Amino acid sequence: MKTQRRDFLQQAASLLAVGGLSTWTDSVAASASNANKPYVVFVTGDHEYSSEETMPLFAAELEKNYGMRTTVLKSVPDYNGEKDIPGLEVLKEADLAVFFLRWRLLPQEQLNHIENYLKSGKPVMGFRTTTHAFNYPEGDDRRRWNAFGEFAFGSPPGWGGAAKHTHYGHNSTTDVTVIPEAAKHPILTGVEPSFHAASWLYRVKPDYPPKGAVPLLMGKAVNPDKEATENPVAWTWQNQWGGKAFLTTLGHPEDFREEPVQRLVINAIHWELGQPVPKRWKGKMNINVPYGHPKKS
């Protein structure tokens, strides 16, 4: 506390010396205004869906049109860097953490930042491969994190396994419809009752999402490579720490070109933060990120 007070006084003295009282008061007012803005942290790192390119576009939209502060964290040295996402300590300041991960192998000290955030009971949001965000081998003390999707979002606990979490082939796409019982949910405000998505449908049924979840959107596979059933592609839930959770198994970069998906994401972020969804849609975003790694599953 003494250090903070000393730093504040030094800053005040410097500003007064350089620009006078008005400069100092303007700076203080700007800092206070910025501090009151909701703070959203995006945690990206996937081999397949270019989250390191799509998520910054949503972050920029939140800052430009919706009065929020954002940070986007990325795997290093690039999306294939499974063992390092620098900056996770900022989660302690976040009001909402958004995850788009796939098969990471983060060190324990970085996992601790995620665990502390979860245990704070703050809201979480996840996209697609976050159902299998981590991929620690047998015998690794961190292996429980392979079920991150389950304990954070109510999704299957990783790829394959007893839940048989899979998809219906890279040549398939998905027809998406609003679930009638959920049509009045705030997250679905302005979302078209039906639309098409490039993502191949993920199988999550019959055990997920869990009891207590609220499914919002249903997906039907188009041109599947195996017998396919309809599966939820977006739902809300409350995890064991009391945190509001929203997950969608959509997330192909072409999905984000679609206005219904853009509205879904912006609405969900506001809902997670306990804010009313925007009364006025700011307009379709220009998202043109390619799907760059088709050989991955």
Side-chain angles (χ1 to χ4, degrees), residues 17 19 36 74 77 94 135 137 142 163 197 202 211 213-214 222 224 267 278:
N36 289 330
K74 301 180 180 182
N135 191 34
R142 299 164 293 178
Y202 272 8
K211 183 179 180 180
V214 179
V222 177
N267 289 349

Side-chain angles (χ1 to χ4, degrees), residues 168-169 171-173 221-228:
Y168 294 103
N171 292 322
S172 66
T173 54
V222 177
N223 192 35
D225 65 354
K226 60 181 74 69
E227 184 178 356

Side-chain angles (χ1 to χ4, degrees), residues 262-297:
Q262 295 179 12
R263 296 199 72 162
L264 179 79
V265 174
I266 296 297
N267 289 349
I269 287 171
H270 281 80
W271 180 82
E272 292 257 72
L273 289 166
Q275 297 192 347
V277 300
K279 292 183 178 180
R280 183 179 179 185
W281 176 240
K282 300 296 184 179
K284 187 177 182 180
M285 300 163 57
N286 182 21
I287 297 180
N288 190 25
V289 175
Y291 172 69
H293 317 291
K295 293 183 180 180
K296 299 293 183 179
S297 63

